[in-house]
């Protein structure tokens, strides 16, 4: 936006003034000219057509009519008082009625004059009628004016605003005035060659057509242009950050692959790596040889083998004289990584330690010392790792598990643990769609593991309705007889904790009746239990003292029990897709065929049905995330909430994927040719970028 004009406070717009400006700010957060311009209509009402009275049906949305006023009179008393008028064209007559503003309207209506009428048709006593129509005296000029015979913008407003005549119509007038007075000052911010290449409408035209389109085609072109612009500048910023980072931060060079890696690879790794795993290792290998700090996101479903890849990358770092760490969001997860890695590397191979909030002071001191003298090579922990007291001799490679749970500040702290920042590998087990990743993590390089290790049996997912419960019990008994263990999960939704707990208790009772002692034993775990009790119950299940674990979603993360091969999800329709997928990921970890049974009532919403069908149809987290994005929109996808990146006003990451890819590619090509945006034709971008990102400091974006 042109700075002078569009940062102008809204009270300076003619017709606004201090009082209305106040209401605009409070009610719609319209502070500046720009805010008003970007308060886009939520729809357009089609006034391109003139109806004949004969053709008016009560079920038509809005109609516009040219008709002559034949008669008007005020009827009724007090509460029933109303103004009734009769209009006529060459096809019939229609009644108009007002219940409010009667005197004012009555004065304005002149018998035998022709009016342009606009309103929602209804009927009264079987005759066509229109209540509170908009009326304007007809003249050929009036008909051509803005709003008549066009697509008329409808703006969201509030009761409060209406008191200040800022209903949809009032906002329309303000916007029209703004565009009329300042349209020339809306400057282009994309180079001409881009406008030409992508056949984009000019910026000033786009803003005008967003509000007052010449026709539907122009409206669509305006939307298209502003969507492109929005996505383009996000990508420009992300990729610029990436460039800046590359220029500003050197990276440790891992010259060679040495003893640790090779020994592990040849003598310890108990399986063949999947092609995806090999590909990702290669990507990381390349990243860490270039002398530039790596920032890579590794996405892959639960069980796809991310941890092994992380470990092997860490071994290369260690081979080159560096220390490494893994940071996990919870103690359970940290512990699990610790166990996994210990068992993968075996005894006496390399020094590994765990650091969490519960690490004892004494152990902690030993640990600090070993970190500082470089003896400790792999540290695994929670955010206890980022405390200032934790100092490494030479930290070279950091793995962060579950990106979105850590804030930017926390990440930055890890960076500062060495003079040259360590390479960073962020792992997430919640696959997100490509376009979302490109926007949320657009300044990172992205690796994907999209296959599961060979030989693993895909989890079979079934959807049962309530009347198939007996069948489910039968199935459970059959699996328990084979020596398997079973999870039964109940929803836990904050707003109705009480209800959920009751569900869980009722469910447990039913289970206890169906699976009585002494043949069967049941563990119960829910969020309201003391940690100690929770742990005790978990341990009983882990040790196979119980066969059934009844739980709320507290088990969602961090449980790894290969013998548990059946996941039953009660009220499955109440879970979101990604949560269902996460829960399902708790099984399928052993050699046995695993199952996931989704129990639901017969009453399913449309979305609920799609969610359950999707789960039955596919095990692929990426496919599931795409569907989740379509169903819920980007703002509701796990991990996106805190991200300002998604404050998109025009574009929609769920529907505008193609456009995003175009914008991204376009920016990539620009930076490839002109990283400083110094070429004359890119000057315009340099300016726009500076204006948009004024005040942006490196600290905020690292
Ligand atoms: P993730 O971290 O992606 O959830 P893990 O790295 O924990 O997955 O791997 C899940 C399980 O699969 C572990 O038991 C691991 O040892 C095993 N695994 C990993 N890669 C392979 C492979 N290529 N072949 C067979 N098993 C594998
Ligand atoms: Mg894992």
């Amino acid at each position: 936006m042109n700075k002078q004009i569009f940062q102008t406070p809204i009270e300076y717009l003619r017709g606004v003034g201090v009082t209305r400006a106040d209401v605009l700010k409070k009610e719609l957060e319209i502070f500046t000219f720009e805010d008003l311009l970007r308060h886009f209509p939520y729809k357009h009402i089609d006034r391109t057509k003139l109806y004949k009275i004969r053709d008016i049906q009560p079920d038509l949305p809005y109609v516009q009519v040219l008709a002559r006023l034949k008669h008007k009179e005020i009827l009724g008393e007090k509460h029933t008082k109303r103004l009734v008028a009769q209009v006529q064209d060459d096809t019939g007559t229609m009644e108009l009625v007002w219940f409010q503003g009667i005197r004012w309207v009555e004065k304005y209506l002149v018998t035998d004059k022709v009016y342009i009428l606009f309103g929602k048709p209804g009927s009264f006593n079987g005759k066509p009628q229109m209540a509170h129509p908009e009326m304007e005296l007809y003249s050929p000029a009036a008909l051509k004016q803005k709003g008549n015979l066009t697509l008329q913008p409808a703006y969201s407003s509030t009761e409060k605003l209406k008191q200040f005549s800022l209903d949809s119509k009032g906002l329309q007038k303000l916007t029209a005035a703004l565009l009329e007075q300042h349209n020339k000052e809306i400057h282009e911010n994309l180079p001409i060659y881009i406008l030409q290449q992508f056949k984009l409408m000019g910026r000033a035209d786009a803003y005008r057509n967003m509000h007052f389109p010449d026709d539907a085609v122009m409206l669509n072109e305006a939307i298209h242009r502003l969507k492109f612009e929005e996505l383009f500048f996000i990508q420009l910023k992300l990729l610029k950050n990436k460039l800046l980072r590359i220029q500003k931060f050197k990276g440790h060079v891992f010259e060679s692959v040495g003893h640790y890696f090779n020994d592990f690879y040849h003598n310890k790794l108990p399986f063949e790596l999947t092609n995806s795993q090999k590909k990702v290792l290669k990507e990381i290998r390349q990243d860490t040889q270039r002398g530039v700090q790596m920032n890579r996101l590794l996405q892959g479903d639960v069980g796809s083998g991310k941890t092994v890849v992380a470990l092997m990358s860490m071994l290369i770092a260690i081979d080159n004289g560096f220390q490494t760490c893994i940071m996990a969001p919870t103690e359970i997860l940290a512990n699990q990584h610790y166990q996994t890695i210990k068992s993968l590397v075996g005894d006496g191979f390399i020094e590994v330690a765990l650091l969490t909030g519960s690490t004892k002071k004494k152990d902690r001191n030993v640990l600090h010392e070993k970190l500082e003298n470089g003896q400790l090579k792999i540290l695994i922990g929670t955010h206890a790792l980022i405390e200032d007291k934790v100092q490494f001799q030479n930290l070279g490679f950091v793995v962060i598990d579950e990106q979105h749970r850590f804030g930017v500040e926390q990440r930055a702290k890890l960076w500062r643990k060495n003079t040259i920042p360590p390479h960073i590998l962020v792992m997430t087990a919640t696959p997100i769609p490509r376009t979302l990743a490109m926007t949320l993590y657009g300044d990172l390089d992205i690796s994907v593991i999209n296959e599961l290790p060979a030989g693993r049996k895909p989890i079979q997912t079934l959807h049962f309705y309530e009347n198939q419960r007996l069948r489910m019990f039968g199935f459970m008994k059959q699996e328990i007889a084979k020596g398997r263990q079973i999870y039964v999960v109940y929803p836990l939704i904050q707003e109705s904790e009480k209800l959920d707990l009751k569900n869980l208790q009722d469910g447990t009772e039913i289970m206890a009746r169906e699976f009585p002692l002494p043949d069967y034993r049941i563990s119960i775990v829910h969020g309201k239990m003391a940690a100690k009790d929770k742990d005790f119950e978990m341990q009983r299940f882990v040790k196979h003292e119980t066969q059934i674990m009844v739980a709320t979603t507290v088990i969602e993360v961090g449980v790894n029990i290969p013998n548990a091969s059946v996941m039953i999800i009660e009220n499955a329709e109440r879970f979101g897709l990604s949560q269902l997928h996460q829960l399902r990921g708790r099984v399928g970890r052993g050699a046995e065929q695993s199952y996931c049974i989704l129990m639901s009532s017969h009453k399913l919403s449309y979305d609920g049905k799609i969610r359950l069908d999707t789960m039955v149809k596919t095990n692929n987290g990426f496919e599931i995330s795409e569907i989740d994005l379509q169903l819920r929109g980007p703002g509701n996808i796990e991990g996106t909430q805190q991200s300002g990146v998604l404050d998109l006003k025009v574009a929609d990451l769920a529907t505008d994927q193609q456009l995003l890819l175009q914008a991204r590619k376009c920016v990539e090509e620009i930076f490839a040719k002109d990283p400083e945006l110094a070429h004359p034709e890119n000057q315009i971008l340099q300016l726009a970028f500076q204006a948009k990102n004024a005040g942006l400091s490196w600290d905020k974006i690292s």
Side-chain angles (χ1 to χ4, degrees), residues 78 118 134 164 192 275 392 408 453 508 575 593 684 700:
K78 285 192 179 155
F118 179 74
E134 283 175 30
F164 293 83
I192 294 173
N275 287 331
F392 294 81
V408 169
T508 313
F575 291 88
Q593 173 63 53
I684 194 169
K700 281 196 200 137

Side-chain angles (χ1 to χ4, degrees), residues 303 306-307 336-337 401 427:
K306 297 182 293 296
T307 313
Q336 197 171 295
H337 280 307
D401 195 8
M427 301 197 296

Side-chain angles (χ1 to χ4, degrees), residues 20 24 36 52 77 90 94 159 246 320 344 366 394 414 456 509 541 594 690:
R20 283 173 119 198
L24 282 170
L36 180 63
K52 291 291 183 188
E77 299 274 327
D90 53 354
M94 177 169 67
E159 282 312 310
I246 290 171
N320 288 276
L344 278 168
V366 177
N394 196 9
L414 273 173
R456 217 172 279 167
E509 264 169 44
F541 191 63
S594 289
Q690 280 164 1

Side-chain angles (χ1 to χ4, degrees), residues 279-449:
K279 187 182 88 224
V280 175
L281 266 177
K282 208 177 276 171
E283 286 166 344
I284 294 173
R285 183 78 196 103
Q286 279 163 2
D287 284 353
T288 51
Q289 282 174 297
R290 287 189 316 194
V292 168
Q293 189 215 15
M294 175 184 87
N295 270 276
R296 192 168 273 284
L297 174 73
L298 174 53
Q299 288 202 70
D301 254 324
V302 175
S304 59
K306 297 182 293 296
T307 313
V308 186
V309 169
L311 172 65
M312 292 175 75
S313 315
M314 287 156 71
L315 292 177
I316 298 176
I318 296 167
D319 274 334
N320 288 276
F322 292 93
Q323 292 165 293
T324 65
C325 69
I326 302 183
M327 182 161 80
T330 64
E331 241 174 77
I332 297 181
L333 279 175
N335 210 332
Q336 197 171 295
H337 280 307
Y338 178 67
Q339 300 300 343
T340 308
I341 286 185
K342 287 264 291 190
S343 71
L344 278 168
V345 295
D347 287 336
F349 180 65
I350 204 163
E351 191 142 356
V352 186
L354 179 69
L355 175 65
T356 69
S358 349
T359 307
K360 297 211 179 62
K361 185 119 195 281
K362 195 176 78 213
D363 300 337
R364 208 179 267 252
N365 289 340
V366 177
L367 214 142
H368 286 169
E369 211 179 293
K370 285 185 177 177
L371 279 177
E372 280 167 45
N373 68 24
Q375 192 182 335
L376 182 54
K377 299 295 183 196
I378 300 181
L379 178 63
I380 297 164
T382 54
H383 25 282
L385 292 190
I386 56 180
E387 284 172 20
D388 292 333
K389 282 174 293 184
V390 182
Q391 293 291 335
F392 294 81
Q393 188 199 51
N394 196 9
L395 181 63
F397 197 94
V398 169
V399 178
I400 304 180
D401 195 8
E402 303 275 35
Q403 146 95 6
H404 58 264
R405 309 198 189 187
F406 291 109
V408 169
E409 323 269 275
Q410 290 169 310
R411 266 196 286 158
K413 277 195 171 172
L414 273 173
W415 280 46
R416 294 189 206 110
K417 296 261 178 215
N418 203 344
T419 30
I420 293 180
H423 296 297
I424 308 265
L425 181 68
V426 173
M427 301 197 296
T428 157
T430 317
I432 57 173
R434 181 154 167 245
T435 51
L436 206 54
M438 218 175 251
T439 309
L440 279 174
Y441 309 112
D443 55 342
L444 307 186
D445 292 304
I446 299 177
S447 290
V448 166
I449 300 187

Side-chain angles (χ1 to χ4, degrees), residues 182-354:
H182 300 288
N183 196 253
K184 285 205 185 66
E185 294 150 276
I186 302 178
H187 294 305
E188 187 50 68
N189 59 6
L190 293 172
I192 294 173
Y193 71 93
I194 293 182
L195 297 184
Q196 285 170 343
Q197 186 186 345
F198 295 95
K199 299 194 175 59
L200 300 174
M201 184 183 263
R203 189 149 181 260
D205 278 348
Y207 272 104
R208 189 172 51 76
N209 277 289
M210 280 302 276
H211 295 277
F212 304 105
D214 293 336
D215 55 40
V217 175
M218 296 296 261
L219 175 60
N220 282 336
E221 283 190 22
I223 294 172
H224 183 75
R225 144 80 208 212
L226 292 182
K227 281 180 171 181
F228 183 92
E229 178 186 323
E230 191 164 60
L231 297 168
F232 177 90
F233 278 103
I234 290 174
Q235 292 303 321
L236 192 76
K237 178 169 155 185
L238 287 165
L239 293 175
K240 182 74 191 171
N241 285 350
K242 192 172 162 187
L243 271 179
L244 282 173
R245 199 180 59 217
I246 290 171
Q247 286 162 1
K248 178 163 173 172
F249 294 101
K250 287 213 207 84
H252 302 289
V253 177
F254 299 166
E255 299 265 350
S256 56
V257 173
H259 156 76
Y260 282 114
F261 182 93
N262 285 326
D263 192 7
F264 178 82
Y265 186 62
H266 295 295
N267 305 322
K268 293 182 181 290
L269 185 65
F271 39 70
E272 183 72 16
L273 292 176
T274 64
N275 287 331
S276 280
Q277 286 172 316
K278 285 183 193 159
K279 187 182 88 224
V280 175
L281 266 177
K282 208 177 276 171
E283 286 166 344
I284 294 173
R285 183 78 196 103
Q286 279 163 2
D287 284 353
T288 51
Q289 282 174 297
R290 287 189 316 194
V292 168
Q293 189 215 15
M294 175 184 87
N295 270 276
R296 192 168 273 284
L297 174 73
L298 174 53
Q299 288 202 70
D301 254 324
V302 175
S304 59
K306 297 182 293 296
T307 313
V308 186
V309 169
L311 172 65
M312 292 175 75
S313 315
M314 287 156 71
L315 292 177
I316 298 176
I318 296 167
D319 274 334
N320 288 276
F322 292 93
Q323 292 165 293
T324 65
C325 69
I326 302 183
M327 182 161 80
T330 64
E331 241 174 77
I332 297 181
L333 279 175
N335 210 332
Q336 197 171 295
H337 280 307
Y338 178 67
Q339 300 300 343
T340 308
I341 286 185
K342 287 264 291 190
S343 71
L344 278 168
V345 295
D347 287 336
F349 180 65
I350 204 163
E351 191 142 356
V352 186
L354 179 69

